[in-house]
Amino acid sequence: MPTTVTTFRPTATVLRLQERRLLSAVGCGLRDDEIAAALAIPEDAVAEHLARILVKLGLRDRAAAIVHAFDCGLVVPGRGPRTRSVGPVPRTGAVRAAGPKVRISLLGPLQAWRDGRPLNLGHLRQQAVLAALALGAGRPLSQQELLDDVWGTESPVANVVPVYIYRLRKALRAGGGPDPVIERGPRGYRLVPGAVDVDVARLEELATGIGKADRAGEPFETVRLCSRALELFREEPLAGLPGPLAELERLRLTEHRIAIAQKKLTWQLRLGQDAEAIAELFALSAAYPLNEPLAVMLMRALYRNGRQADALTVFERARRRLADDLGVSPSRMLRRTRQLILRGDEAGPGILPLAGSVTGA
């Protein structure tokens, strides 16, 4: 369903003072009777004044007016109306120098904390909007992009994205300073750079470090960085969140997790840390029973430790799961590993190359 993309509308500066005050009161969530009392006007005149404001600003409804009141600086969520200025809140280097106060975790069910306190992020669709912004890594996302990411082809009838953004701004600011965590620019919404620490961004930084250590032939540093990266995962990434973006990112991040685990285990086995590596391989194989490279790694690790029967049991378990769940036979890689173990044609345990071994190591 086509949806109108947000465009810049006239700011609150086109309004008269009384109209700005009324828009500010609307943005604060006041009822018509409360607005009438605050501005000393008849209650039945509030709706008439608001209608004129909506026309002047090109806004659709009261919900859009609430969002606009925040975007143009008339209201700071949770702080009441601002009377001194209608411009955006200035962001100084001193404010950002203190570092991010908000942490967002996507490597499990979505969670956020401000100054160590958990935040209530609302229902799942609203959380999915925040997840899309967090995954955007500072890139502005238009309303249409957010609709595509969170709703796909089933766009909502109402113009809900600005409302969700408004609620998320309030949630992420809970108990904090005046600066918003989500800002709007010419190309859409984004998380304010430097205001938020997202675990996926830290994961990517660690992955870069892992690659450098691996290429430099530094096994202990590679294992250490891999362990730090894997500790970021709490459960399934973006668990329970709806939408095409969350579904794709769940798959990508899960594959990323497995790849990091394989690199860590490969180095541990090369360093002789077999007991720890085999225990972790058993756990990973149980969590991802259809992942054949993991099964191959486990079989080879068991074989090189003199546990041929256990290695063949792993093959049989993988074969059954592939047949029952996917209706396919084991891959050539898995079958070849079984044949090598059955023949025992290596010089002995430990000579068989490891799956996922690092080239040049």
Side-chain angles (χ1 to χ4, degrees):
M1 177 183 299
T3 306
T4 303
V5 179
T6 300
T7 57
F8 274 118
R9 300 184 174 92
T11 68
T13 54
V14 303
L15 304 177
R16 299 193 303 271
L17 177 60
Q18 183 80 335
E19 290 173 327
R20 290 202 301 273
R21 288 175 176 170
L22 191 145
L23 179 59
S24 178
V26 169
C28 290
L30 300 184
R31 301 188 306 270
D32 283 2
D33 60 329
E34 294 171 324
I35 295 173
L39 301 183
I41 60 176
E43 183 177 344
D44 56 4
V46 173
E48 182 181 342
H49 287 314
L50 179 58
R52 283 201 297 269
I53 290 170
L54 294 178
V55 171
K56 279 188 177 183
L57 298 179
L59 300 173
R60 177 177 177 178
D61 50 26
R62 194 184 191 103
I66 292 174
V67 177
H68 190 83
F70 176 87
D71 282 334
C72 70
L74 281 175
V75 175
V76 175
R79 292 298 180 104
R82 255 210 216 147
T83 56
R84 293 186 180 180
S85 171
V86 297
V89 179
R91 298 188 182 90
T92 65
V95 173
R96 292 302 174 210
K101 293 183 178 180
V102 176
R103 292 191 299 114
I104 296 176
S105 175
L106 305 173
L107 300 176
L110 178 64
Q111 290 184 338
W113 301 264
R114 185 174 190 106
D115 297 325
R117 296 189 301 272
L119 301 175
N120 181 1
L121 301 175
H123 55 78
L124 288 178
R125 290 285 184 189
Q126 187 168 297
Q127 291 182 33
V129 170
L130 177 59
L133 293 172
L135 289 165
R139 183 178 68 85
L141 299 175
S142 68
Q143 280 199 48
Q144 187 60 58
E145 287 177 290
L146 290 170
L147 287 168
D148 293 341
D149 287 344
V150 177
W151 284 269
T153 59
E154 300 178 357
S155 297
V157 176
N159 187 20
V160 297
V161 169
V163 178
Y164 288 177
I165 294 291
Y166 176 77
R167 292 173 181 171
L168 287 169
R169 280 167 166 162
K170 290 184 68 176
L172 295 172
R173 287 191 60 263
D179 285 348
V181 175
I182 302 173
E183 67 180 5
R184 188 186 70 171
R187 290 177 291 177
Y189 298 100
R190 68 171 182 170
L191 296 181
V192 175
V196 183
D197 176 34
V198 181
D199 58 359
V200 171
R202 282 189 284 134
L203 176 67
E204 298 302 334
E205 290 174 1
L206 285 168
T208 300
I210 290 167
K212 290 180 179 177
D214 188 18
R215 291 189 296 272
E218 300 175 354
F220 291 102
E221 179 66 3
T222 302
V223 170
R224 186 185 72 83
L225 292 175
C226 285
S227 297
R228 284 185 57 192
L230 294 171
E231 286 170 0
L232 294 175
F233 288 87
R234 295 177 290 112
E235 297 178 34
E236 180 185 47
L238 303 164
L241 287 190
L245 178 65
E247 184 176 352
L248 287 173
E249 285 297 307
R250 265 192 295 272
L251 294 173
R252 183 184 73 85
L253 291 169
T254 297
E255 290 299 318
H256 203 13
R257 179 184 191 178
I258 293 172
I260 292 172
Q262 285 180 293
K263 189 174 292 294
K264 170 178 177 278
L265 293 166
T266 294
W267 275 116
Q268 284 182 306
L269 290 168
R270 286 177 173 268
L271 291 169
Q273 302 171 1
D274 291 17
E276 181 181 347
I278 288 173
E280 192 166 344
L281 275 168
F282 267 119
L284 279 170
S285 295
Y288 306 104
L290 301 178
N291 188 296
E292 293 183 85
L294 283 177
V296 167
M297 282 191 75
L298 179 55
M299 290 172 65
R300 292 177 170 179
L302 289 168
Y303 174 74
R304 74 181 232 169
N305 276 267
R307 299 170 60 179
Q308 183 183 36
D310 291 338
L312 295 174
T313 299
V314 171
F315 173 85
E316 287 301 321
R317 185 169 62 239
R319 183 189 62 78
R320 285 195 302 270
R321 285 301 299 265
L322 289 167
D324 293 344
D325 294 3
L326 302 180
V328 298
S329 300
S331 67
R332 181 178 179 275
M333 174 181 60
L334 201 57
R335 295 195 310 271
R336 180 174 179 273
T337 301
R338 174 177 177 269
Q339 289 300 319
L340 289 173
I341 292 173
L342 284 172
R343 289 201 302 265
D345 54 4
E346 284 76 28
I351 302 300
L352 194 64
L354 296 177
S357 59
V358 179
T359 302

